[in-house]
Amino acid sequence: MNPFDDSHAQAVIDNAILSDQETLPRTDLEALQLHRLREVVARIQNVPFYRDAFRQSGVTPDQIKSLDDIRRLPFTTKANLREHYPLGFLAVPRDQVVRYHGSTGTTGRPTFVAYTRNDLNVWTELCSRFLVAGGLRPEHTAQVSFGYGMFTGAFGLHQGLENVGAAVVPASAGNTPRQLLLMQDLQVQVLICTPSYACNLAEVANAGDIDMDRFPLRFAHLGGEPWTEDMRRHIERDLRIFAFNNYGLSEIIGPGVSGECAYRVGMHFQEDHFLIECLDSNSLEPVPEGEPGELVITCLSKEAMPLLRYRTRDIATVTSAPCPCGRTTHRMSRVIGRSDDMLIIKGVNVFPSQVEEALLRVEGTAPHYLIEVDRPHIMDEVIVHVEIRPEDFSSEMRQMQRLRDRIDREIQSVTGIRMEVKLVEPQTLERFGGKAKRVIDRRREKGLI
Ligand code: DLL
């Protein structure tokens, strides 16, 4: 166990700072949500897409009388944003926009998002909240190792950190040895990046001549991509830190939609600004509490580009159970997967995160892997390329065979299907400065799916 683990959590719990908005009694919170929902529905009528959708459904803004009436409102999808590219969803005159960002969109056209001055202030506040929930204080120094640019991660967290009064090191992504140097020389205690980049940092830090007992990092806020509990343990052990998860998406605001408190029993939604539904992706009906469903998010306060019932495609569970921290907000689990990342292999649904979970259960594997799916003939075939940790890499065949068998069994037990496992030498798979790419689906390239 890493030495900072419990001590950091306990210190944060003992000195918790909670804002009034995070501890509103549910009835007050829901009254605020309804008030804001009615406002945003009225405001959004100047967006042609919504005006048409309301007209077609016959619903009028004054019919929104309870939060349940959200179900009468139209959905918004990524495809809708693309159809109205670049700025068809803008709800304010362009002179009120003070910032644009873009989604990372690896496929198709990018999508742009816009912020008014007030939107930036809200975003800053929301990022500050989850940073403070993780123990950030003005005396801390924090390094932002997200790429600064159209991606919302770096700017959102940067604003939140500065707002708390922490000192920001805007390192941006890449050049890992330099990142480690900055951390040591500026005595950085807080790391902000993707989980996969935290892994890369850990790997380089441990391979070099850094004295990890004197390494200054204490905790990290990681987000922007799916990761597993095993990945968290791996990062915490290797960087000797306490790691928090935070979630968001550019279409809604960027980071700041939800984040963990020191109890780390789910990510608290910032419900005063977002109305959350968890729906069955096919029927679009709510799933029972605790069951996985697609998060569908409505912006309650956004001015520049508020979206109604945005289908995130992210699959998670939601709980209303009270959290010991005292926040009254509902919480989401880790993202189990994205409905569009879900692989259907031999008819079985598999999320890349399940493969990660299986791999990291096996001692000796590194958290670097690549899932390659193909259909050379009739059947789907999957090869999982797994990197071995340098200290576990052996030229002895039998030893490597045993390791491969163990991975094989774990993958089969977690996913229910057999995948071919290929062990690869340390440092041979690609490293990512931002979000990792874990899947190559050749069936898609061949037009088979
Ligand atoms: O990734 C915003 C963000 C930046 C969140 C930094 C947290 C930290 P996009 O580039 O639009 O925005 O990508 C959004 O990333 O729909 C999820 O699929 C995924 N994602 C974001 N955070 C998490 C997380 C940012 N903590 C998409 N766990 C979302 C799992 C996440 N997936």
mmCIF file with all atom_site columns, all heavy atoms in Angstrom, residues 203 364-366 368 386-394 400 403-404 407 422-428 431:
data_model
loop_
_atom_site.group_PDB
_atom_site.id
_atom_site.type_symbol
_atom_site.label_atom_id
_atom_site.label_alt_id
_atom_site.label_comp_id
_atom_site.label_asym_id
_atom_site.label_entity_id
_atom_site.label_seq_id
_atom_site.pdbx_PDB_ins_code
_atom_site.Cartn_x
_atom_site.Cartn_y
_atom_site.Cartn_z
_atom_site.occupancy
_atom_site.B_iso_or_equiv
_atom_site.pdbx_formal_charge
_atom_site.auth_seq_id
_atom_site.auth_comp_id
_atom_site.auth_asym_id
_atom_site.auth_atom_id
_atom_site.pdbx_PDB_model_num
ATOM 1   N N   . GLU A 1 203 ? 5.946  5.247   -14.970 1.00 0.00 ? 203 GLU A N   1
ATOM 2   C CA  . GLU A 1 203 ? 6.910  4.335   -15.571 1.00 0.00 ? 203 GLU A CA  1
ATOM 3   C C   . GLU A 1 203 ? 8.272  5.001   -15.736 1.00 0.00 ? 203 GLU A C   1
ATOM 4   O O   . GLU A 1 203 ? 9.310  4.461   -15.346 1.00 0.00 ? 203 GLU A O   1
ATOM 5   C CB  . GLU A 1 203 ? 6.370  3.907   -16.934 1.00 0.00 ? 203 GLU A CB  1
ATOM 6   C CG  . GLU A 1 203 ? 7.240  2.946   -17.674 1.00 0.00 ? 203 GLU A CG  1
ATOM 7   C CD  . GLU A 1 203 ? 6.606  2.594   -19.010 1.00 0.00 ? 203 GLU A CD  1
ATOM 8   O OE1 . GLU A 1 203 ? 6.212  3.507   -19.773 1.00 0.00 ? 203 GLU A OE1 1
ATOM 9   O OE2 . GLU A 1 203 ? 6.498  1.399   -19.294 1.00 0.00 ? 203 GLU A OE2 1
ATOM 10  N N   . GLY A 1 364 ? 2.692  -8.765  -12.883 1.00 0.00 ? 364 GLY A N   1
ATOM 11  C CA  . GLY A 1 364 ? 3.709  -8.905  -13.930 1.00 0.00 ? 364 GLY A CA  1
ATOM 12  C C   . GLY A 1 364 ? 3.347  -8.166  -15.212 1.00 0.00 ? 364 GLY A C   1
ATOM 13  O O   . GLY A 1 364 ? 4.192  -7.917  -16.045 1.00 0.00 ? 364 GLY A O   1
ATOM 14  N N   . THR A 1 365 ? 2.042  -7.818  -15.354 1.00 0.00 ? 365 THR A N   1
ATOM 15  C CA  . THR A 1 365 ? 1.673  -7.089  -16.567 1.00 0.00 ? 365 THR A CA  1
ATOM 16  C C   . THR A 1 365 ? 1.805  -5.587  -16.304 1.00 0.00 ? 365 THR A C   1
ATOM 17  O O   . THR A 1 365 ? 1.615  -5.121  -15.191 1.00 0.00 ? 365 THR A O   1
ATOM 18  C CB  . THR A 1 365 ? 0.213  -7.379  -16.978 1.00 0.00 ? 365 THR A CB  1
ATOM 19  O OG1 . THR A 1 365 ? -0.632 -7.055  -15.885 1.00 0.00 ? 365 THR A OG1 1
ATOM 20  C CG2 . THR A 1 365 ? 0.024  -8.819  -17.354 1.00 0.00 ? 365 THR A CG2 1
ATOM 21  N N   . ALA A 1 366 ? 2.114  -4.859  -17.351 1.00 0.00 ? 366 ALA A N   1
ATOM 22  C CA  . ALA A 1 366 ? 2.173  -3.400  -17.240 1.00 0.00 ? 366 ALA A CA  1
ATOM 23  C C   . ALA A 1 366 ? 0.834  -2.849  -17.740 1.00 0.00 ? 366 ALA A C   1
ATOM 24  O O   . ALA A 1 366 ? 0.148  -3.526  -18.504 1.00 0.00 ? 366 ALA A O   1
ATOM 25  C CB  . ALA A 1 366 ? 3.330  -2.883  -18.094 1.00 0.00 ? 366 ALA A CB  1
ATOM 26  N N   . HIS A 1 368 ? -0.135 -1.251  -20.047 1.00 0.00 ? 368 HIS A N   1
ATOM 27  C CA  . HIS A 1 368 ? -0.068 -0.826  -21.449 1.00 0.00 ? 368 HIS A CA  1
ATOM 28  C C   . HIS A 1 368 ? -0.523 -2.000  -22.292 1.00 0.00 ? 368 HIS A C   1
ATOM 29  O O   . HIS A 1 368 ? 0.085  -3.069  -22.246 1.00 0.00 ? 368 HIS A O   1
ATOM 30  C CB  . HIS A 1 368 ? 1.364  -0.434  -21.820 1.00 0.00 ? 368 HIS A CB  1
ATOM 31  C CG  . HIS A 1 368 ? 1.916  0.620   -20.918 1.00 0.00 ? 368 HIS A CG  1
ATOM 32  N ND1 . HIS A 1 368 ? 1.526  1.929   -20.972 1.00 0.00 ? 368 HIS A ND1 1
ATOM 33  C CD2 . HIS A 1 368 ? 2.801  0.536   -19.900 1.00 0.00 ? 368 HIS A CD2 1
ATOM 34  C CE1 . HIS A 1 368 ? 2.148  2.614   -20.037 1.00 0.00 ? 368 HIS A CE1 1
ATOM 35  N NE2 . HIS A 1 368 ? 2.935  1.791   -19.368 1.00 0.00 ? 368 HIS A NE2 1
ATOM 36  N N   . VAL A 1 386 ? -0.056 -7.351  -24.734 1.00 0.00 ? 386 VAL A N   1
ATOM 37  C CA  . VAL A 1 386 ? 0.133  -6.929  -23.344 1.00 0.00 ? 386 VAL A CA  1
ATOM 38  C C   . VAL A 1 386 ? 1.616  -6.734  -23.068 1.00 0.00 ? 386 VAL A C   1
ATOM 39  O O   . VAL A 1 386 ? 2.415  -7.641  -23.336 1.00 0.00 ? 386 VAL A O   1
ATOM 40  C CB  . VAL A 1 386 ? -0.376 -8.013  -22.358 1.00 0.00 ? 386 VAL A CB  1
ATOM 41  C CG1 . VAL A 1 386 ? -0.337 -7.480  -20.937 1.00 0.00 ? 386 VAL A CG1 1
ATOM 42  C CG2 . VAL A 1 386 ? -1.763 -8.480  -22.727 1.00 0.00 ? 386 VAL A CG2 1
ATOM 43  N N   . GLU A 1 387 ? 1.926  -5.588  -22.510 1.00 0.00 ? 387 GLU A N   1
ATOM 44  C CA  . GLU A 1 387 ? 3.331  -5.354  -22.166 1.00 0.00 ? 387 GLU A CA  1
ATOM 45  C C   . GLU A 1 387 ? 3.670  -5.960  -20.816 1.00 0.00 ? 387 GLU A C   1
ATOM 46  O O   . GLU A 1 387 ? 2.873  -5.893  -19.885 1.00 0.00 ? 387 GLU A O   1
ATOM 47  C CB  . GLU A 1 387 ? 3.584  -3.852  -22.098 1.00 0.00 ? 387 GLU A CB  1
ATOM 48  C CG  . GLU A 1 387 ? 4.550  -3.399  -23.140 1.00 0.00 ? 387 GLU A CG  1
ATOM 49  C CD  . GLU A 1 387 ? 4.906  -1.939  -22.987 1.00 0.00 ? 387 GLU A CD  1
ATOM 50  O OE1 . GLU A 1 387 ? 5.457  -1.537  -21.941 1.00 0.00 ? 387 GLU A OE1 1
ATOM 51  O OE2 . GLU A 1 387 ? 4.634  -1.216  -23.936 1.00 0.00 ? 387 GLU A OE2 1
ATOM 52  N N   . ILE A 1 388 ? 4.837  -6.496  -20.756 1.00 0.00 ? 388 ILE A N   1
ATOM 53  C CA  . ILE A 1 388 ? 5.316  -7.099  -19.510 1.00 0.00 ? 388 ILE A CA  1
ATOM 54  C C   . ILE A 1 388 ? 6.192  -6.095  -18.790 1.00 0.00 ? 388 ILE A C   1
ATOM 55  O O   . ILE A 1 388 ? 6.929  -5.346  -19.413 1.00 0.00 ? 388 ILE A O   1
ATOM 56  C CB  . ILE A 1 388 ? 6.155  -8.363  -19.852 1.00 0.00 ? 388 ILE A CB  1
ATOM 57  C CG1 . ILE A 1 388 ? 5.309  -9.324  -20.677 1.00 0.00 ? 388 ILE A CG1 1
ATOM 58  C CG2 . ILE A 1 388 ? 6.685  -9.055  -18.605 1.00 0.00 ? 388 ILE A CG2 1
ATOM 59  C CD1 . ILE A 1 388 ? 4.025  -9.709  -20.006 1.00 0.00 ? 388 ILE A CD1 1
ATOM 60  N N   . ARG A 1 389 ? 6.099  -6.081  -17.468 1.00 0.00 ? 389 ARG A N   1
ATOM 61  C CA  . ARG A 1 389 ? 6.968  -5.157  -16.718 1.00 0.00 ? 389 ARG A CA  1
ATOM 62  C C   . ARG A 1 389 ? 8.414  -5.610  -16.862 1.00 0.00 ? 389 ARG A C   1
ATOM 63  O O   . ARG A 1 389 ? 8.687  -6.818  -16.869 1.00 0.00 ? 389 ARG A O   1
ATOM 64  C CB  . ARG A 1 389 ? 6.583  -5.180  -15.237 1.00 0.00 ? 389 ARG A CB  1
ATOM 65  C CG  . ARG A 1 389 ? 5.285  -4.456  -14.965 1.00 0.00 ? 389 ARG A CG  1
ATOM 66  C CD  . ARG A 1 389 ? 5.241  -4.008  -13.532 1.00 0.00 ? 389 ARG A CD  1
ATOM 67  N NE  . ARG A 1 389 ? 5.586  -5.077  -12.614 1.00 0.00 ? 389 ARG A NE  1
ATOM 68  C CZ  . ARG A 1 389 ? 4.799  -5.466  -11.617 1.00 0.00 ? 389 ARG A CZ  1
ATOM 69  N NH1 . ARG A 1 389 ? 3.649  -4.890  -11.412 1.00 0.00 ? 389 ARG A NH1 1
ATOM 70  N NH2 . ARG A 1 389 ? 5.171  -6.425  -10.804 1.00 0.00 ? 389 ARG A NH2 1
ATOM 71  N N   . PRO A 1 390 ? 9.354  -4.658  -16.969 1.00 0.00 ? 390 PRO A N   1
ATOM 72  C CA  . PRO A 1 390 ? 10.750 -5.052  -17.213 1.00 0.00 ? 390 PRO A CA  1
ATOM 73  C C   . PRO A 1 390 ? 11.233 -6.099  -16.217 1.00 0.00 ? 390 PRO A C   1
ATOM 74  O O   . PRO A 1 390 ? 11.894 -7.074  -16.588 1.00 0.00 ? 390 PRO A O   1
ATOM 75  C CB  . PRO A 1 390 ? 11.520 -3.738  -17.042 1.00 0.00 ? 390 PRO A CB  1
ATOM 76  C CG  . PRO A 1 390 ? 10.509 -2.655  -17.216 1.00 0.00 ? 390 PRO A CG  1
ATOM 77  C CD  . PRO A 1 390 ? 9.171  -3.221  -16.865 1.00 0.00 ? 390 PRO A CD  1
ATOM 78  N N   . GLU A 1 391 ? 10.865 -5.926  -14.936 1.00 0.00 ? 391 GLU A N   1
ATOM 79  C CA  . GLU A 1 391 ? 11.384 -6.859  -13.925 1.00 0.00 ? 391 GLU A CA  1
ATOM 80  C C   . GLU A 1 391 ? 10.768 -8.259  -14.059 1.00 0.00 ? 391 GLU A C   1
ATOM 81  O O   . GLU A 1 391 ? 11.284 -9.227  -13.519 1.00 0.00 ? 391 GLU A O   1
ATOM 82  C CB  . GLU A 1 391 ? 11.195 -6.303  -12.507 1.00 0.00 ? 391 GLU A CB  1
ATOM 83  C CG  . GLU A 1 391 ? 9.764  -6.018  -12.089 1.00 0.00 ? 391 GLU A CG  1
ATOM 84  C CD  . GLU A 1 391 ? 9.251  -4.635  -12.486 1.00 0.00 ? 391 GLU A CD  1
ATOM 85  O OE1 . GLU A 1 391 ? 9.707  -4.094  -13.508 1.00 0.00 ? 391 GLU A OE1 1
ATOM 86  O OE2 . GLU A 1 391 ? 8.371  -4.108  -11.775 1.00 0.00 ? 391 GLU A OE2 1
ATOM 87  N N   . ASP A 1 392 ? 9.670  -8.346  -14.788 1.00 0.00 ? 392 ASP A N   1
ATOM 88  C CA  . ASP A 1 392 ? 9.019  -9.649  -14.939 1.00 0.00 ? 392 ASP A CA  1
ATOM 89  C C   . ASP A 1 392 ? 9.284  -10.275 -16.298 1.00 0.00 ? 392 ASP A C   1
ATOM 90  O O   . ASP A 1 392 ? 8.823  -11.367 -16.584 1.00 0.00 ? 392 ASP A O   1
ATOM 91  C CB  . ASP A 1 392 ? 7.507  -9.512  -14.721 1.00 0.00 ? 392 ASP A CB  1
ATOM 92  C CG  . ASP A 1 392 ? 7.199  -9.177  -13.288 1.00 0.00 ? 392 ASP A CG  1
ATOM 93  O OD1 . ASP A 1 392 ? 7.427  -10.041 -12.433 1.00 0.00 ? 392 ASP A OD1 1
ATOM 94  O OD2 . ASP A 1 392 ? 6.783  -8.037  -13.015 1.00 0.00 ? 392 ASP A OD2 1
ATOM 95  N N   . PHE A 1 393 ? 9.964  -9.517  -17.142 1.00 0.00 ? 393 PHE A N   1
ATOM 96  C CA  . PHE A 1 393 ? 10.227 -10.044 -18.472 1.00 0.00 ? 393 PHE A CA  1
ATOM 97  C C   . PHE A 1 393 ? 11.318 -11.096 -18.371 1.00 0.00 ? 393 PHE A C   1
ATOM 98  O O   . PHE A 1 393 ? 12.336 -10.911 -17.716 1.00 0.00 ? 393 PHE A O   1
ATOM 99  C CB  . PHE A 1 393 ? 10.657 -8.919  -19.418 1.00 0.00 ? 393 PHE A CB  1
ATOM 100 C CG  . PHE A 1 393 ? 10.608 -9.346  -20.841 1.00 0.00 ? 393 PHE A CG  1
ATOM 101 C CD1 . PHE A 1 393 ? 9.390  -9.451  -21.492 1.00 0.00 ? 393 PHE A CD1 1
ATOM 102 C CD2 . PHE A 1 393 ? 11.769 -9.668  -21.524 1.00 0.00 ? 393 PHE A CD2 1
ATOM 103 C CE1 . PHE A 1 393 ? 9.337  -9.871  -22.811 1.00 0.00 ? 393 PHE A CE1 1
ATOM 104 C CE2 . PHE A 1 393 ? 11.718 -10.083 -22.838 1.00 0.00 ? 393 PHE A CE2 1
ATOM 105 C CZ  . PHE A 1 393 ? 10.493 -10.181 -23.484 1.00 0.00 ? 393 PHE A CZ  1
ATOM 106 N N   . SER A 1 394 ? 11.075 -12.223 -18.981 1.00 0.00 ? 394 SER A N   1
ATOM 107 C CA  . SER A 1 394 ? 12.041 -13.309 -18.857 1.00 0.00 ? 394 SER A CA  1
ATOM 108 C C   . SER A 1 394 ? 12.249 -13.940 -20.217 1.00 0.00 ? 394 SER A C   1
ATOM 109 O O   . SER A 1 394 ? 11.342 -13.997 -21.049 1.00 0.00 ? 394 SER A O   1
ATOM 110 C CB  . SER A 1 394 ? 11.483 -14.332 -17.866 1.00 0.00 ? 394 SER A CB  1
ATOM 111 O OG  . SER A 1 394 ? 12.092 -15.574 -18.065 1.00 0.00 ? 394 SER A OG  1
ATOM 112 N N   . MET A 1 400 ? 7.110  -17.318 -19.296 1.00 0.00 ? 400 MET A N   1
ATOM 113 C CA  . MET A 1 400 ? 6.254  -16.418 -20.083 1.00 0.00 ? 400 MET A CA  1
ATOM 114 C C   . MET A 1 400 ? 4.940  -17.110 -20.452 1.00 0.00 ? 400 MET A C   1
ATOM 115 O O   . MET A 1 400 ? 3.877  -16.503 -20.464 1.00 0.00 ? 400 MET A O   1
ATOM 116 C CB  . MET A 1 400 ? 6.984  -15.972 -21.364 1.00 0.00 ? 400 MET A CB  1
ATOM 117 C CG  . MET A 1 400 ? 8.133  -15.015 -21.131 1.00 0.00 ? 400 MET A CG  1
ATOM 118 S SD  . MET A 1 400 ? 7.602  -13.382 -20.535 1.00 0.00 ? 400 MET A SD  1
ATOM 119 C CE  . MET A 1 400 ? 7.706  -13.557 -18.783 1.00 0.00 ? 400 MET A CE  1
ATOM 120 N N   . LEU A 1 403 ? 2.616  -16.954 -17.527 1.00 0.00 ? 403 LEU A N   1
ATOM 121 C CA  . LEU A 1 403 ? 2.032  -15.616 -17.389 1.00 0.00 ? 403 LEU A CA  1
ATOM 122 C C   . LEU A 1 403 ? 0.910  -15.437 -18.408 1.00 0.00 ? 403 LEU A C   1
ATOM 123 O O   . LEU A 1 403 ? -0.176 -14.945 -18.093 1.00 0.00 ? 403 LEU A O   1
ATOM 124 C CB  . LEU A 1 403 ? 3.140  -14.569 -17.614 1.00 0.00 ? 403 LEU A CB  1
ATOM 125 C CG  . LEU A 1 403 ? 2.781  -13.118 -17.425 1.00 0.00 ? 403 LEU A CG  1
ATOM 126 C CD1 . LEU A 1 403 ? 2.248  -12.858 -16.022 1.00 0.00 ? 403 LEU A CD1 1
ATOM 127 C CD2 . LEU A 1 403 ? 4.005  -12.224 -17.666 1.00 0.00 ? 403 LEU A CD2 1
ATOM 128 N N   . ARG A 1 404 ? 1.171  -15.894 -19.618 1.00 0.00 ? 404 ARG A N   1
ATOM 129 C CA  . ARG A 1 404 ? 0.167  -15.741 -20.669 1.00 0.00 ? 404 ARG A CA  1
ATOM 130 C C   . ARG A 1 404 ? -1.097 -16.538 -20.337 1.00 0.00 ? 404 ARG A C   1
ATOM 131 O O   . ARG A 1 404 ? -2.204 -16.068 -20.508 1.00 0.00 ? 404 ARG A O   1
ATOM 132 C CB  . ARG A 1 404 ? 0.745  -16.214 -21.998 1.00 0.00 ? 404 ARG A CB  1
ATOM 133 C CG  . ARG A 1 404 ? 0.052  -15.553 -23.169 1.00 0.00 ? 404 ARG A CG  1
ATOM 134 C CD  . ARG A 1 404 ? 0.707  -15.870 -24.449 1.00 0.00 ? 404 ARG A CD  1
ATOM 135 N NE  . ARG A 1 404 ? 0.680  -17.299 -24.698 1.00 0.00 ? 404 ARG A NE  1
ATOM 136 C CZ  . ARG A 1 404 ? 1.367  -17.889 -25.672 1.00 0.00 ? 404 ARG A CZ  1
ATOM 137 N NH1 . ARG A 1 404 ? 2.127  -17.183 -26.455 1.00 0.00 ? 404 ARG A NH1 1
ATOM 138 N NH2 . ARG A 1 404 ? 1.294  -19.182 -25.846 1.00 0.00 ? 404 ARG A NH2 1
ATOM 139 N N   . ILE A 1 407 ? -3.168 -14.648 -17.816 1.00 0.00 ? 407 ILE A N   1
ATOM 140 C CA  . ILE A 1 407 ? -3.894 -13.517 -18.427 1.00 0.00 ? 407 ILE A CA  1
ATOM 141 C C   . ILE A 1 407 ? -5.081 -14.057 -19.219 1.00 0.00 ? 407 ILE A C   1
ATOM 142 O O   . ILE A 1 407 ? -6.193 -13.542 -19.141 1.00 0.00 ? 407 ILE A O   1
ATOM 143 C CB  . ILE A 1 407 ? -2.950 -12.699 -19.345 1.00 0.00 ? 407 ILE A CB  1
ATOM 144 C CG1 . ILE A 1 407 ? -1.806 -12.101 -18.530 1.00 0.00 ? 407 ILE A CG1 1
ATOM 145 C CG2 . ILE A 1 407 ? -3.714 -11.603 -20.073 1.00 0.00 ? 407 ILE A CG2 1
ATOM 146 C CD1 . ILE A 1 407 ? -0.754 -11.408 -19.368 1.00 0.00 ? 407 ILE A CD1 1
ATOM 147 N N   . LYS A 1 422 ? -0.919 -11.873 -26.602 1.00 0.00 ? 422 LYS A N   1
ATOM 148 C CA  . LYS A 1 422 ? 0.477  -11.802 -27.083 1.00 0.00 ? 422 LYS A CA  1
ATOM 149 C C   . LYS A 1 422 ? 1.262  -10.947 -26.109 1.00 0.00 ? 422 LYS A C   1
ATOM 150 O O   . LYS A 1 422 ? 0.931  -9.756  -25.935 1.00 0.00 ? 422 LYS A O   1
ATOM 151 C CB  . LYS A 1 422 ? 0.515  -11.154 -28.461 1.00 0.00 ? 422 LYS A CB  1
ATOM 152 C CG  . LYS A 1 422 ? 0.384  -12.137 -29.570 1.00 0.00 ? 422 LYS A CG  1
ATOM 153 C CD  . LYS A 1 422 ? 0.929  -11.577 -30.882 1.00 0.00 ? 422 LYS A CD  1
ATOM 154 C CE  . LYS A 1 422 ? 0.798  -12.642 -31.964 1.00 0.00 ? 422 LYS A CE  1
ATOM 155 N NZ  . LYS A 1 422 ? 0.500  -12.085 -33.255 1.00 0.00 ? 422 LYS A NZ  1
ATOM 156 N N   . LEU A 1 423 ? 2.261  -11.530 -25.493 1.00 0.00 ? 423 LEU A N   1
ATOM 157 C CA  . LEU A 1 423 ? 3.086  -10.747 -24.582 1.00 0.00 ? 423 LEU A CA  1
ATOM 158 C C   . LEU A 1 423 ? 4.124  -9.995  -25.398 1.00 0.00 ? 423 LEU A C   1
ATOM 159 O O   . LEU A 1 423 ? 4.737  -10.569 -26.295 1.00 0.00 ? 423 LEU A O   1
ATOM 160 C CB  . LEU A 1 423 ? 3.785  -11.664 -23.580 1.00 0.00 ? 423 LEU A CB  1
ATOM 161 C CG  . LEU A 1 423 ? 2.859  -12.550 -22.737 1.00 0.00 ? 423 LEU A CG  1
ATOM 162 C CD1 . LEU A 1 423 ? 3.678  -13.367 -21.754 1.00 0.00 ? 423 LEU A CD1 1
ATOM 163 C CD2 . LEU A 1 423 ? 1.831  -11.698 -21.999 1.00 0.00 ? 423 LEU A CD2 1
ATOM 164 N N   . VAL A 1 424 ? 4.282  -8.725  -25.094 1.00 0.00 ? 424 VAL A N   1
ATOM 165 C CA  . VAL A 1 424 ? 5.294  -7.972  -25.837 1.00 0.00 ? 424 VAL A CA  1
ATOM 166 C C   . VAL A 1 424 ? 6.306  -7.385  -24.856 1.00 0.00 ? 424 VAL A C   1
ATOM 167 O O   . VAL A 1 424 ? 6.024  -7.238  -23.666 1.00 0.00 ? 424 VAL A O   1
ATOM 168 C CB  . VAL A 1 424 ? 4.664  -6.865  -26.727 1.00 0.00 ? 424 VAL A CB  1
ATOM 169 C CG1 . VAL A 1 424 ? 3.696  -7.464  -27.728 1.00 0.00 ? 424 VAL A CG1 1
ATOM 170 C CG2 . VAL A 1 424 ? 3.976  -5.808  -25.886 1.00 0.00 ? 424 VAL A CG2 1
ATOM 171 N N   . GLU A 1 425 ? 7.473  -7.089  -25.366 1.00 0.00 ? 425 GLU A N   1
ATOM 172 C CA  . GLU A 1 425 ? 8.558  -6.627  -24.505 1.00 0.00 ? 425 GLU A CA  1
ATOM 173 C C   . GLU A 1 425 ? 8.236  -5.267  -23.896 1.00 0.00 ? 425 GLU A C   1
ATOM 174 O O   . GLU A 1 425 ? 7.452  -4.506  -24.460 1.00 0.00 ? 425 GLU A O   1
ATOM 175 C CB  . GLU A 1 425 ? 9.849  -6.512  -25.326 1.00 0.00 ? 425 GLU A CB  1
ATOM 176 C CG  . GLU A 1 425 ? 10.365 -7.855  -25.709 1.00 0.00 ? 425 GLU A CG  1
ATOM 177 C CD  . GLU A 1 425 ? 11.765 -7.764  -26.294 1.00 0.00 ? 425 GLU A CD  1
ATOM 178 O OE1 . GLU A 1 425 ? 12.510 -6.838  -25.887 1.00 0.00 ? 425 GLU A OE1 1
ATOM 179 O OE2 . GLU A 1 425 ? 12.081 -8.600  -27.140 1.00 0.00 ? 425 GLU A OE2 1
ATOM 180 N N   . PRO A 1 426 ? 8.856  -4.964  -22.757 1.00 0.00 ? 426 PRO A N   1
ATOM 181 C CA  . PRO A 1 426 ? 8.627  -3.657  -22.144 1.00 0.00 ? 426 PRO A CA  1
ATOM 182 C C   . PRO A 1 426 ? 8.900  -2.538  -23.145 1.00 0.00 ? 426 PRO A C   1
ATOM 183 O O   . PRO A 1 426 ? 9.783  -2.664  -24.006 1.00 0.00 ? 426 PRO A O   1
ATOM 184 C CB  . PRO A 1 426 ? 9.655  -3.616  -21.002 1.00 0.00 ? 426 PRO A CB  1
ATOM 185 C CG  . PRO A 1 426 ? 9.959  -5.043  -20.702 1.00 0.00 ? 426 PRO A CG  1
ATOM 186 C CD  . PRO A 1 426 ? 9.779  -5.797  -21.983 1.00 0.00 ? 426 PRO A CD  1
ATOM 187 N N   . GLN A 1 427 ? 8.125  -1.476  -23.059 1.00 0.00 ? 427 GLN A N   1
ATOM 188 C CA  . GLN A 1 427 ? 8.359  -0.260  -23.862 1.00 0.00 ? 427 GLN A CA  1
ATOM 189 C C   . GLN A 1 427 ? 8.101  -0.415  -25.348 1.00 0.00 ? 427 GLN A C   1
ATOM 190 O O   . GLN A 1 427 ? 8.646  0.348   -26.139 1.00 0.00 ? 427 GLN A O   1
ATOM 191 C CB  . GLN A 1 427 ? 9.820  0.230   -23.685 1.00 0.00 ? 427 GLN A CB  1
ATOM 192 C CG  . GLN A 1 427 ? 10.149 0.727   -22.309 1.00 0.00 ? 427 GLN A CG  1
ATOM 193 C CD  . GLN A 1 427 ? 9.420  2.030   -21.996 1.00 0.00 ? 427 GLN A CD  1
ATOM 194 O OE1 . GLN A 1 427 ? 8.963  2.732   -22.888 1.00 0.00 ? 427 GLN A OE1 1
ATOM 195 N NE2 . GLN A 1 427 ? 9.281  2.317   -20.735 1.00 0.00 ? 427 GLN A NE2 1
ATOM 196 N N   . THR A 1 428 ? 7.292  -1.406  -25.745 1.00 0.00 ? 428 THR A N   1
ATOM 197 C CA  . THR A 1 428 ? 7.107  -1.544  -27.195 1.00 0.00 ? 428 THR A CA  1
ATOM 198 C C   . THR A 1 428 ? 5.764  -0.994  -27.676 1.00 0.00 ? 428 THR A C   1
ATOM 199 O O   . THR A 1 428 ? 5.618  -0.682  -28.842 1.00 0.00 ? 428 THR A O   1
ATOM 200 C CB  . THR A 1 428 ? 7.252  -3.018  -27.652 1.00 0.00 ? 428 THR A CB  1
ATOM 201 O OG1 . THR A 1 428 ? 6.536  -3.842  -26.742 1.00 0.00 ? 428 THR A OG1 1
ATOM 202 C CG2 . THR A 1 428 ? 8.686  -3.442  -27.709 1.00 0.00 ? 428 THR A CG2 1
ATOM 203 N N   . ARG A 1 431 ? 2.937  5.021   -26.332 1.00 0.00 ? 431 ARG A N   1
ATOM 204 C CA  . ARG A 1 431 ? 2.540  5.774   -25.129 1.00 0.00 ? 431 ARG A CA  1
ATOM 205 C C   . ARG A 1 431 ? 1.774  7.010   -25.586 1.00 0.00 ? 431 ARG A C   1
ATOM 206 O O   . ARG A 1 431 ? 2.030  7.545   -26.662 1.00 0.00 ? 431 ARG A O   1
ATOM 207 C CB  . ARG A 1 431 ? 3.772  6.217   -24.332 1.00 0.00 ? 431 ARG A CB  1
ATOM 208 C CG  . ARG A 1 431 ? 4.628  5.067   -23.860 1.00 0.00 ? 431 ARG A CG  1
ATOM 209 C CD  . ARG A 1 431 ? 3.876  4.248   -22.823 1.00 0.00 ? 431 ARG A CD  1
ATOM 210 N NE  . ARG A 1 431 ? 4.752  3.283   -22.176 1.00 0.00 ? 431 ARG A NE  1
ATOM 211 C CZ  . ARG A 1 431 ? 4.849  1.988   -22.499 1.00 0.00 ? 431 ARG A CZ  1
ATOM 212 N NH1 . ARG A 1 431 ? 4.117  1.511   -23.488 1.00 0.00 ? 431 ARG A NH1 1
ATOM 213 N NH2 . ARG A 1 431 ? 5.645  1.183   -21.856 1.00 0.00 ? 431 ARG A NH2 1
#
